[in-house]
Amino acid sequence: MRIHYQDLKEGDIVVIAAFDGWPEHLFEVDQVFEDSVSGYSITGPLAGVYGEPGFEMILRVHAP
């Protein structure tokens, strides 16, 4: 299933891919930009940390 990033919106929960030793984790979208989203990690060791992952880091939508 292809993810339509333009359909993401505030409050959506997405799965962020593992990177730089950090595990795959859930992320709550706050804002959607042209090539990334902003928001906060909600699981794992990065829980509560603000970030702006690019769309290439999003594996799938976990929950709308």
Side-chain angles (χ1 to χ4, degrees):
M1 178 176 89
R2 184 177 167 97
I3 299 171
H4 297 283
Y5 299 110
Q6 66 272 19
D7 294 336
L8 290 174
K9 59 189 177 305
E10 180 181 345
D12 284 348
I13 307 297
V14 297
V15 179
I16 300 297
F19 66 97
D20 293 338
W22 298 107
E24 184 176 293
H25 58 280
L26 298 180
F27 185 90
E28 184 172 355
V29 174
D30 185 44
Q31 289 184 293
V32 180
F33 303 109
E34 190 173 304
D35 60 352
S36 65
V37 295
S38 69
Y40 292 87
S41 295
I42 57 175
T43 62
L46 295 174
V49 175
Y50 175 83
E52 293 184 358
F55 291 148
E56 71 279 358
M57 295 295 298
I58 299 172
L59 297 177
R60 63 189 173 278
V61 176
H62 180 72

